Amino acid sequence: MSREKIVVYGTGIDGERFYYKYRETYEIVFYVDKTGNRKFHGLQVYALSEVMEKIKKYFIVVATDRTEYNELKKQWSGETFSEFKNYVWMQDLGKKIAILYGNCHMNVLEKYLINNPYFYSEYIIKRKLVNYTLVNEPSDEEMSVCDLLLCQDIREG
């Protein structure tokens, strides 16, 4: 049985947690962190700047806290990386993607879904806001990885 080959970004406490939870599920090819130049669980750790081209060949699991993950997302937005297609935060690994597209009334639905343990254990929720001054439509890329689209019928007035 062949395991999916991945790269893990992060060698801190979250990297440790990921390793022990998924070491039998995924084949980790190498690790990446800010400093690199060492070993982690017997595998080479590289600095991100050293492996930007090499890393694009693999799916990347980001094993960090949410703040650092969001910083990486900003950094990678100019690259050829796409969230959920090329990389994902370790907490979202294996979950389906639900896009909520609508105005502020979708907040009620989002709160309900987040508090529903059955739904939230299966899905990641991405919000796309629509109001009279802003239309934040899901991109084609987001739609290609979306498993569930909940759309509010918005009409002028």
Coordinates of all heavy atoms in Angstrom, one line a residue, residues 56-141:
K56 N 7.1 22.6 -4.6 CA 5.9 22.7 -5.5 C 5.5 21.4 -6.0 O 4.4 21.2 -6.5 CB 6.2 23.7 -6.6 CG 6.3 25.1 -6.1 CD 6.6 26.1 -7.2 CE 6.8 27.5 -6.7 NZ 7.2 28.4 -7.7
K57 N 6.4 20.4 -5.9 CA 6.1 19.0 -6.5 C 5.2 18.2 -5.5 O 4.7 17.2 -5.9 CB 7.4 18.2 -6.7 CG 8.3 18.9 -7.7 CD 9.6 18.1 -7.8 CE 10.6 18.8 -8.7 NZ 11.9 18.1 -8.7
Y58 N 5.1 18.7 -4.3 CA 4.4 17.9 -3.2 C 3.2 18.7 -2.6 O 3.2 20.0 -2.7 CB 5.3 17.6 -2.1 CG 6.5 16.8 -2.6 CD1 7.7 17.4 -2.8 CD2 6.4 15.4 -2.8 CE1 8.8 16.7 -3.2 CE2 7.5 14.7 -3.2 CZ 8.7 15.3 -3.5 OH 9.8 14.6 -3.9
F59 N 2.3 18.0 -2.0 CA 1.3 18.6 -1.2 C 1.9 19.0 0.1 O 2.7 18.3 0.7 CB 0.1 17.7 -1.0 CG -1.1 18.4 -0.4 CD1 -1.9 19.1 -1.1 CD2 -1.3 18.3 1.0 CE1 -3.0 19.8 -0.6 CE2 -2.4 18.9 1.6 CZ -3.3 19.7 0.8
I60 N 1.6 20.2 0.6 CA 2.3 20.8 1.8 C 1.3 20.8 2.9 O 0.2 21.4 2.7 CB 2.8 22.2 1.5 CG1 3.7 22.2 0.3 CG2 3.6 22.7 2.7 CD1 3.9 23.5 -0.4
V61 N 1.6 20.3 4.0 CA 0.8 20.4 5.2 C 1.6 21.4 6.2 O 2.7 21.2 6.5 CB 0.6 19.0 6.0 CG1 -0.1 19.2 7.3 CG2 -0.1 18.0 5.0
V62 N 0.9 22.4 6.5 CA 1.5 23.5 7.4 C 1.1 23.1 8.8 O 0.0 23.2 9.2 CB 1.0 24.9 7.0 CG1 1.6 25.9 7.9 CG2 1.3 25.1 5.5
A63 N 2.1 22.7 9.6 CA 2.0 22.3 11.0 C 2.5 23.4 11.9 O 3.6 23.3 12.4 CB 2.7 21.0 11.2
T64 N 1.7 24.5 12.0 CA 2.0 25.6 12.8 C 0.7 26.1 13.4 O -0.4 25.6 13.2 CB 2.5 26.8 11.9 OG1 1.5 27.2 11.0 CG2 3.8 26.4 11.1
D65 N 0.8 27.2 14.2 CA -0.4 27.8 14.7 C -1.1 28.6 13.6 O -0.5 28.8 12.5 CB -0.1 28.7 16.0 CG 0.8 29.9 15.7 OD1 0.8 30.4 14.5 OD2 1.4 30.3 16.6
R66 N -2.3 29.0 13.9 CA -3.2 29.7 12.8 C -2.5 31.0 12.4 O -2.5 31.4 11.2 CB -4.6 29.9 13.4 CG -5.5 30.6 12.4 CD -5.6 29.8 11.1 NE -6.9 29.3 11.0 CZ -7.4 28.6 9.9 NH1 -6.6 28.5 8.9 NH2 -8.6 28.1 9.9
T67 N -1.9 31.7 13.3 CA -1.3 33.0 13.0 C -0.2 32.8 12.0 O -0.1 33.5 10.9 CB -0.7 33.7 14.2 OG1 -1.8 33.9 15.2 CG2 -0.1 35.0 13.9
E68 N 0.7 31.9 12.2 CA 1.8 31.6 11.3 C 1.3 31.1 9.9 O 1.8 31.4 8.9 CB 2.8 30.7 11.9 CG 4.1 30.5 11.0 CD 5.2 29.8 11.7 OE1 5.1 29.5 12.9 OE2 6.2 29.5 11.0
Y69 N 0.2 30.3 10.0 CA -0.4 29.8 8.8 C -0.9 30.9 7.9 O -0.7 31.0 6.7 CB -1.5 28.8 9.1 CG -2.2 28.3 7.9 CD1 -1.6 27.4 7.0 CD2 -3.5 28.7 7.5 CE1 -2.2 26.9 5.9 CE2 -4.1 28.2 6.4 CZ -3.5 27.3 5.6 OH -4.1 26.9 4.4
N70 N -1.6 31.9 8.5 CA -2.1 33.0 7.8 C -1.0 33.9 7.2 O -1.1 34.4 6.1 CB -3.0 33.9 8.7 CG -4.3 33.2 9.0 OD1 -4.8 32.3 8.2 ND2 -5.0 33.5 10.1
E71 N 0.1 34.0 7.9 CA 1.3 34.7 7.4 C 1.9 34.0 6.1 O 2.2 34.6 5.1 CB 2.4 34.8 8.4 CG 2.1 35.9 9.5 CD 1.8 37.3 8.9 OE1 2.6 37.7 8.1 OE2 0.8 37.9 9.4
L72 N 1.9 32.6 6.2 CA 2.4 31.9 5.0 C 1.4 32.0 3.8 O 1.9 32.2 2.7 CB 2.5 30.4 5.4 CG 3.8 29.9 5.9 CD1 3.7 28.5 6.4 CD2 4.9 30.1 5.0
K73 N 0.1 32.0 4.1 CA -0.9 32.2 3.1 C -0.6 33.6 2.3 O -0.6 33.6 1.1 CB -2.3 32.2 3.6 CG -2.9 30.9 3.7 CD -4.2 30.9 4.4 CE -5.3 31.8 3.8 NZ -6.6 31.6 4.3
K74 N -0.3 34.6 3.1 CA 0.0 35.9 2.5 C 1.2 35.8 1.6 O 1.3 36.3 0.5 CB 0.1 37.0 3.6 CG -1.1 37.4 4.2 CD -0.8 38.5 5.3 CE -2.0 38.7 6.2 NZ -1.7 39.5 7.4
Q75 N 2.2 35.2 2.2 CA 3.5 35.1 1.5 C 3.4 34.3 0.2 O 4.0 34.6 -0.8 CB 4.5 34.4 2.4 CG 5.9 34.2 1.8 CD 6.8 33.5 2.8 OE1 6.6 33.4 4.0 NE2 7.9 33.0 2.3
W76 N 2.6 33.2 0.3 CA 2.4 32.3 -0.9 C 1.4 32.8 -1.9 O 1.3 32.3 -3.0 CB 2.1 30.9 -0.4 CG 3.2 30.2 0.2 CD1 4.5 30.6 0.2 CD2 3.2 29.0 0.9 NE1 5.3 29.6 0.8 CE2 4.5 28.7 1.3 CE3 2.1 28.1 1.3 CZ2 4.8 27.5 2.1 CZ3 2.5 27.0 2.0 CH2 3.8 26.7 2.4
S77 N 0.7 33.9 -1.6 CA -0.4 34.3 -2.5 C 0.2 34.8 -3.8 O -0.5 34.7 -4.8 CB -1.2 35.4 -1.9 OG -0.4 36.6 -1.7
G78 N 1.4 35.3 -3.8 CA 2.1 35.7 -5.1 C 2.7 34.6 -5.8 O 3.2 34.7 -7.0
E79 N 2.8 33.4 -5.2 CA 3.4 32.2 -5.8 C 2.4 31.4 -6.6 O 1.3 31.9 -6.8 CB 4.0 31.3 -4.7 CG 5.1 32.0 -3.9 CD 6.4 32.2 -4.7 OE1 6.7 31.4 -5.6 OE2 7.1 33.1 -4.4
T80 N 2.8 30.3 -7.0 CA 1.8 29.4 -7.8 C 1.1 28.4 -6.9 O 0.6 27.5 -7.3 CB 2.6 28.6 -8.9 OG1 3.6 27.9 -8.2 CG2 3.2 29.5 -9.9
F81 N 1.1 28.7 -5.5 CA 0.5 27.9 -4.6 C -1.0 28.2 -4.5 O -1.3 29.4 -4.5 CB 1.1 28.0 -3.2 CG 2.5 27.5 -3.1 CD1 3.5 28.3 -2.6 CD2 2.8 26.2 -3.4 CE1 4.8 27.9 -2.5 CE2 4.1 25.8 -3.3 CZ 5.1 26.6 -2.8
S82 N -1.8 27.3 -4.2 CA -3.2 27.5 -4.0 C -3.7 26.7 -2.8 O -3.4 25.5 -2.7 CB -4.0 27.0 -5.3 OG -5.4 27.1 -5.0
E83 N -4.3 27.4 -1.9 CA -4.8 26.8 -0.6 C -5.7 25.7 -1.0 O -6.6 25.8 -1.9 CB -5.5 27.8 0.3 CG -5.8 27.3 1.6 CD -6.5 28.3 2.6 OE1 -7.1 29.2 2.1 OE2 -6.4 28.1 3.8
F84 N -5.6 24.6 -0.3 CA -6.4 23.3 -0.4 C -6.0 22.5 -1.6 O -6.2 21.3 -1.7 CB -7.9 23.6 -0.4 CG -8.4 24.3 0.8 CD1 -8.9 25.6 0.7 CD2 -8.3 23.8 2.0 CE1 -9.3 26.3 1.8 CE2 -8.7 24.5 3.2 CZ -9.2 25.7 3.0
K85 N -5.4 23.1 -2.7 CA -5.0 22.4 -3.8 C -3.5 22.0 -3.6 O -3.1 20.9 -4.0 CB -5.1 23.3 -5.1 CG -5.5 22.5 -6.3 CD -5.8 23.5 -7.4 CE -6.8 22.9 -8.3 NZ -7.2 23.8 -9.3
N86 N -2.7 22.9 -3.1 CA -1.3 22.7 -2.9 C -0.8 22.6 -1.5 O 0.2 22.1 -1.2 CB -0.5 23.8 -3.6 CG -0.8 23.9 -5.1 OD1 -1.4 24.9 -5.5 ND2 -0.4 22.9 -5.9
Y87 N -1.6 23.2 -0.6 CA -1.3 23.3 0.8 C -2.5 23.4 1.7 O -3.5 23.9 1.2 CB -0.2 24.4 1.1 CG -0.8 25.8 1.0 CD1 -1.3 26.4 2.1 CD2 -0.8 26.4 -0.2 CE1 -1.8 27.7 2.0 CE2 -1.3 27.7 -0.3 CZ -1.8 28.3 0.8 OH -2.3 29.6 0.7
V88 N -2.4 23.0 2.9 CA -3.5 23.1 3.9 C -2.9 23.2 5.3 O -1.8 22.7 5.6 CB -4.4 21.9 3.7 CG1 -3.8 20.7 4.2 CG2 -5.8 22.2 4.4
W89 N -3.6 23.9 6.1 CA -3.3 23.9 7.6 C -3.6 22.5 8.1 O -4.6 21.9 7.8 CB -4.1 25.0 8.3 CG -3.8 25.2 9.7 CD1 -2.5 25.3 10.2 CD2 -4.7 25.5 10.7 NE1 -2.6 25.6 11.6 CE2 -3.9 25.7 11.9 CE3 -6.1 25.6 10.8 CZ2 -4.5 26.0 13.2 CZ3 -6.6 25.8 12.1 CH2 -5.8 26.0 13.2
M90 N -2.8 22.0 9.0 CA -2.9 20.7 9.5 C -4.3 20.4 10.2 O -4.8 19.3 10.1 CB -1.8 20.3 10.5 CG -1.8 21.0 11.8 SD -0.5 20.4 12.8 CE -1.2 20.7 14.4
Q91 N -4.9 21.4 10.7 CA -6.2 21.2 11.4 C -7.3 21.0 10.3 O -8.4 20.5 10.6 CB -6.6 22.5 12.2 CG -5.6 22.8 13.3 CD -5.7 21.8 14.5 OE1 -6.5 20.9 14.4 NE2 -5.0 22.1 15.5
D92 N -7.0 21.4 9.1 CA -8.0 21.3 8.0 C -7.8 20.1 7.1 O -8.5 19.8 6.2 CB -8.1 22.5 7.2 CG -8.5 23.7 8.0 OD1 -9.2 23.5 9.0 OD2 -8.2 24.9 7.6
L93 N -6.7 19.4 7.3 CA -6.3 18.2 6.5 C -7.4 17.2 6.5 O -7.9 16.8 7.5 CB -5.0 17.6 7.0 CG -4.4 16.4 6.2 CD1 -4.0 16.9 4.8 CD2 -3.3 15.8 7.0
G94 N -7.8 16.8 5.3 CA -8.8 15.7 5.2 C -10.3 16.2 5.3 O -11.2 15.4 5.1
K95 N -10.5 17.5 5.6 CA -11.8 18.0 5.7 C -12.3 18.4 4.3 O -11.6 18.8 3.4 CB -11.9 19.2 6.6 CG -11.8 18.8 8.1 CD -12.0 20.0 9.0 CE -12.0 19.7 10.4 NZ -12.2 20.9 11.2
K96 N -13.7 18.4 4.1 CA -14.3 18.9 2.9 C -14.4 20.4 3.1 O -14.3 21.0 4.2 CB -15.7 18.3 2.8 CG -15.7 16.8 2.6 CD -17.1 16.3 2.6 CE -17.0 14.7 2.6 NZ -18.4 14.2 2.8
I97 N -14.7 21.1 2.0 CA -14.8 22.6 2.0 C -16.2 23.0 1.7 O -16.8 22.7 0.7 CB -13.8 23.2 0.9 CG1 -12.4 22.7 1.3 CG2 -13.9 24.7 0.9 CD1 -11.4 22.9 0.2
A98 N -16.7 23.9 2.6 CA -18.0 24.5 2.4 C -17.8 26.0 2.2 O -17.1 26.6 3.0 CB -18.9 24.2 3.6
I99 N -18.4 26.5 1.2 CA -18.3 28.0 0.9 C -19.7 28.6 1.2 O -20.7 28.1 0.7 CB -17.9 28.3 -0.5 CG1 -16.5 27.8 -0.8 CG2 -18.0 29.8 -0.8 CD1 -16.0 28.0 -2.2
L100 N -19.7 29.6 2.1 CA -20.9 30.3 2.4 C -20.8 31.6 1.7 O -20.0 32.4 2.0 CB -21.1 30.6 3.9 CG -21.0 29.3 4.8 CD1 -21.3 29.7 6.3 CD2 -22.0 28.3 4.4
Y101 N -21.7 31.8 0.7 CA -21.7 33.0 -0.1 C -23.0 33.8 0.1 O -24.1 33.3 -0.3 CB -21.5 32.6 -1.6 CG -21.5 33.7 -2.6 CD1 -20.6 34.7 -2.4 CD2 -22.3 33.7 -3.7 CE1 -20.5 35.8 -3.4 CE2 -22.3 34.7 -4.6 CZ -21.4 35.7 -4.4 OH -21.4 36.8 -5.4
G102 N -22.9 34.9 0.8 CA -24.1 35.7 1.0 C -23.7 36.9 1.9 O -22.6 37.2 2.1
N103 N -24.8 37.6 2.3 CA -24.5 38.8 3.1 C -24.4 38.5 4.6 O -24.2 37.3 5.0 CB -25.6 39.9 2.8 CG -27.0 39.5 3.3 OD1 -27.2 38.6 4.1 ND2 -28.0 40.1 2.7
C104 N -24.6 39.5 5.4 CA -24.4 39.3 6.9 C -25.3 38.3 7.5 O -25.0 37.8 8.6 CB -24.5 40.7 7.6 SG -26.1 41.5 7.4
H105 N -26.4 38.0 6.9 CA -27.3 37.0 7.4 C -26.7 35.6 7.4 O -27.2 34.7 8.1 CB -28.7 37.0 6.6 CG -29.4 38.3 6.8 ND1 -29.4 39.3 5.9 CD2 -30.2 38.7 7.8 CE1 -30.2 40.3 6.3 NE2 -30.6 40.0 7.5
M106 N -25.7 35.4 6.6 CA -25.0 34.1 6.6 C -24.3 33.9 7.9 O -23.9 32.7 8.2 CB -24.1 34.0 5.4 CG -24.8 34.0 4.0 SD -25.8 32.5 3.8 CE -24.7 31.4 3.1
N107 N -24.0 34.9 8.7 CA -23.3 34.8 9.9 C -24.1 33.8 10.9 O -23.5 33.0 11.6 CB -23.2 36.1 10.7 CG -22.2 37.0 10.0 OD1 -21.3 36.6 9.2 ND2 -22.3 38.3 10.2
V108 N -25.4 33.9 10.8 CA -26.2 33.0 11.7 C -26.0 31.6 11.3 O -25.8 30.7 12.1 CB -27.7 33.4 11.6 CG1 -28.6 32.4 12.3 CG2 -27.9 34.8 12.1
L109 N -26.1 31.3 10.0 CA -25.8 30.0 9.5 C -24.4 29.5 9.8 O -24.2 28.3 10.2 CB -26.1 29.9 8.0 CG -25.9 28.5 7.3 CD1 -26.8 27.5 8.0 CD2 -26.2 28.6 5.8
E110 N -23.4 30.3 9.6 CA -22.1 30.0 9.9 C -21.9 29.6 11.4 O -21.3 28.6 11.7 CB -21.1 31.1 9.6 CG -19.7 30.8 9.9 CD -18.7 31.9 9.5 OE1 -19.1 33.0 9.4 OE2 -17.5 31.6 9.3
K111 N -22.5 30.4 12.3 CA -22.4 30.1 13.7 C -23.1 28.7 14.1 O -22.5 28.0 14.9 CB -23.0 31.2 14.6 CG -22.2 32.4 14.6 CD -22.9 33.5 15.4 CE -22.0 34.8 15.4 NZ -22.7 35.9 16.0
Y112 N -24.2 28.5 13.4 CA -24.9 27.2 13.6 C -24.0 26.0 13.2 O -23.8 25.1 13.9 CB -26.2 27.2 12.9 CG -26.8 25.8 12.9 CD1 -27.4 25.3 14.1 CD2 -26.7 25.0 11.8 CE1 -27.9 24.0 14.1 CE2 -27.2 23.7 11.8 CZ -27.8 23.2 12.9 OH -28.3 21.9 13.0
L113 N -23.4 26.2 12.0 CA -22.6 25.1 11.4 C -21.3 24.9 12.2 O -20.9 23.7 12.4 CB -22.3 25.4 10.0 CG -23.5 25.4 9.0 CD1 -23.0 25.8 7.6 CD2 -24.1 24.0 9.0
I114 N -20.7 25.9 12.7 CA -19.5 25.8 13.5 C -19.8 25.1 14.8 O -19.0 24.3 15.3 CB -18.9 27.2 13.8 CG1 -18.2 27.7 12.5 CG2 -17.9 27.1 14.9 CD1 -17.7 29.1 12.6
N115 N -21.0 25.3 15.4 CA -21.4 24.7 16.6 C -22.0 23.3 16.5 O -22.3 22.7 17.5 CB -22.3 25.6 17.4 CG -21.5 26.8 18.0 OD1 -20.5 26.7 18.6 ND2 -22.0 28.0 17.6
N116 N -22.1 22.9 15.3 CA -22.6 21.6 15.0 C -21.4 20.6 14.9 O -20.7 20.7 13.9 CB -23.5 21.6 13.7 CG -24.0 20.2 13.4 OD1 -23.3 19.2 13.5 ND2 -25.3 20.2 13.0
P117 N -21.2 19.8 15.9 CA -20.0 19.0 15.9 C -19.9 18.0 14.7 O -18.8 17.7 14.2 CB -20.0 18.2 17.2 CG -21.4 18.3 17.6 CD -22.0 19.5 17.0
Y118 N -21.0 17.5 14.2 CA -21.0 16.6 13.0 C -20.5 17.4 11.8 O -19.7 16.8 11.0 CB -22.4 16.0 12.8 CG -22.8 15.2 14.0 CD1 -23.9 15.7 14.8 CD2 -22.2 14.0 14.4 CE1 -24.3 15.0 16.0 CE2 -22.6 13.3 15.5 CZ -23.6 13.8 16.3 OH -24.0 13.2 17.4
F119 N -21.1 18.5 11.6 CA -20.7 19.3 10.4 C -19.3 19.8 10.5 O -18.5 19.6 9.6 CB -21.6 20.5 10.2 CG -21.4 21.3 8.9 CD1 -22.0 20.9 7.8 CD2 -20.5 22.3 8.9 CE1 -21.7 21.6 6.6 CE2 -20.2 23.0 7.7 CZ -20.9 22.6 6.6
Y120 N -18.9 20.4 11.6 CA -17.6 21.0 11.7 C -16.5 20.0 11.8 O -15.3 20.3 11.4 CB -17.6 21.9 13.0 CG -16.6 23.0 12.8 CD1 -16.7 24.0 11.8 CD2 -15.5 23.1 13.7 CE1 -15.7 25.0 11.7 CE2 -14.6 24.2 13.6 CZ -14.7 25.1 12.5 OH -13.8 26.1 12.4
S121 N -16.7 18.8 12.1 CA -15.7 17.7 12.1 C -15.4 17.3 10.7 O -14.3 16.8 10.4 CB -16.1 16.5 12.9 OG -17.2 15.8 12.4
E122 N -16.3 17.6 9.8 CA -16.2 17.1 8.4 C -15.8 18.3 7.4 O -15.3 18.0 6.4 CB -17.5 16.6 7.9 CG -17.9 15.3 8.5 CD -17.2 14.1 8.0 OE1 -17.0 14.0 6.8 OE2 -16.9 13.2 8.8
Y123 N -16.2 19.5 7.7 CA -16.0 20.6 6.8 C -15.2 21.8 7.4 O -15.3 22.1 8.5 CB -17.4 21.2 6.4 CG -18.2 20.3 5.5 CD1 -19.0 19.3 6.0 CD2 -18.1 20.5 4.1 CE1 -19.8 18.5 5.1 CE2 -18.8 19.7 3.3 CZ -19.7 18.7 3.8 OH -20.4 17.9 2.9
I124 N -14.5 22.5 6.4 CA -13.9 23.8 6.7 C -14.9 24.8 6.1 O -15.5 24.5 5.0 CB -12.6 23.9 5.8 CG1 -11.7 22.8 6.2 CG2 -12.0 25.3 6.0 CD1 -10.6 22.6 5.1
I125 N -15.1 25.9 6.8 CA -16.0 26.9 6.2 C -15.2 28.1 5.7 O -14.4 28.6 6.5 CB -17.0 27.3 7.3 CG1 -17.9 26.1 7.8 CG2 -17.9 28.5 6.8 CD1 -18.8 26.4 9.0
K126 N -15.5 28.4 4.5 CA -14.9 29.7 3.9 C -16.1 30.6 3.7 O -17.1 30.2 3.0 CB -14.2 29.4 2.6 CG -12.9 28.6 2.8 CD -12.1 28.6 1.6 CE -11.6 29.9 1.3 NZ -10.2 30.2 1.0
R127 N -15.9 31.8 4.2 CA -17.0 32.9 4.0 C -16.7 33.7 2.8 O -15.5 34.2 2.6 CB -17.1 33.8 5.2 CG -17.9 33.2 6.3 CD -19.4 33.1 6.0 NE -20.0 34.2 5.4 CZ -20.5 35.3 6.0 NH1 -20.5 35.3 7.3 NH2 -21.0 36.3 5.3
K128 N -17.6 34.0 2.0 CA -17.5 35.0 0.9 C -18.7 36.0 1.1 O -19.8 35.6 1.0 CB -17.7 34.3 -0.5 CG -16.5 33.3 -0.8 CD -15.3 34.1 -0.9 CE -14.1 33.3 -1.2 NZ -12.9 34.1 -1.4
L129 N -18.3 37.2 1.4 CA -19.3 38.2 1.7 C -19.8 39.0 0.5 O -19.0 39.3 -0.4 CB -18.6 39.2 2.7 CG -19.5 40.3 3.3 CD1 -20.6 39.7 4.1 CD2 -18.7 41.3 4.1
V130 N -21.1 39.3 0.5 CA -21.7 40.1 -0.5 C -22.4 41.2 0.2 O -23.2 40.9 1.1 CB -22.7 39.3 -1.3 CG1 -23.4 40.2 -2.4 CG2 -22.1 38.1 -2.0
N131 N -22.2 42.4 -0.2 CA -23.0 43.6 0.3 C -23.1 44.6 -0.9 O -22.6 44.3 -2.0 CB -22.5 44.2 1.6 CG -21.1 44.8 1.5 OD1 -20.8 45.3 0.4 ND2 -20.4 44.7 2.5
Y132 N -23.6 45.7 -0.7 CA -23.8 46.6 -1.8 C -22.6 47.3 -2.3 O -22.5 47.7 -3.4 CB -24.8 47.7 -1.4 CG -26.2 47.1 -1.1 CD1 -26.7 47.1 0.2 CD2 -26.9 46.5 -2.1 CE1 -27.9 46.5 0.5 CE2 -28.2 45.9 -1.8 CZ -28.6 45.9 -0.5 OH -29.8 45.3 -0.2
T133 N -21.5 47.3 -1.5 CA -20.2 47.9 -1.9 C -19.2 46.9 -2.3 O -18.2 47.2 -2.9 CB -19.7 48.9 -0.9 OG1 -19.5 48.1 0.3 CG2 -20.6 50.0 -0.6
L134 N -19.4 45.6 -1.9 CA -18.3 44.6 -2.0 C -19.0 43.3 -2.5 O -20.0 42.9 -1.9 CB -17.6 44.4 -0.7 CG -16.7 43.2 -0.6 CD1 -15.4 43.4 -1.4 CD2 -16.4 42.9 0.8
V135 N -18.4 42.8 -3.5 CA -18.8 41.4 -4.0 C -17.5 40.6 -4.0 O -16.6 40.8 -4.7 CB -19.5 41.4 -5.3 CG1 -19.8 40.0 -5.8 CG2 -20.7 42.3 -5.3
N136 N -17.5 39.6 -3.1 CA -16.3 38.8 -2.9 C -16.7 37.4 -3.4 O -16.9 36.5 -2.6 CB -15.9 38.8 -1.5 CG -14.6 38.0 -1.2 OD1 -13.9 37.7 -2.1 ND2 -14.3 37.7 0.0
E137 N -16.8 37.2 -4.7 CA -17.3 35.9 -5.2 C -16.2 34.9 -5.1 O -15.0 35.1 -5.1 CB -17.6 36.1 -6.7 CG -18.7 37.0 -7.0 CD -19.0 37.1 -8.5 OE1 -18.1 36.7 -9.3 OE2 -20.0 37.6 -8.9
P138 N -16.6 33.6 -4.9 CA -15.7 32.5 -4.9 C -14.9 32.5 -6.3 O -15.6 32.6 -7.3 CB -16.5 31.3 -4.7 CG -17.8 31.7 -4.2 CD -18.0 33.1 -4.7
S139 N -13.6 32.3 -6.2 CA -12.9 32.2 -7.5 C -13.1 30.8 -8.1 O -13.6 29.9 -7.5 CB -11.4 32.4 -7.2 OG -10.9 31.3 -6.4
D140 N -12.7 30.7 -9.4 CA -12.8 29.4 -10.1 C -12.0 28.4 -9.3 O -12.4 27.2 -9.2 CB -12.3 29.5 -11.5 CG -13.3 30.3 -12.4 OD1 -14.5 30.5 -12.0 OD2 -12.8 30.8 -13.5
E141 N -10.8 28.8 -8.8 CA -10.0 27.9 -8.1 C -10.7 27.4 -6.8 O -10.6 26.2 -6.5 CB -8.7 28.6 -7.7 CG -7.5 27.7 -7.5 CD -6.2 28.5 -7.5 OE1 -5.9 29.0 -6.5 OE2 -5.6 28.6 -8.6

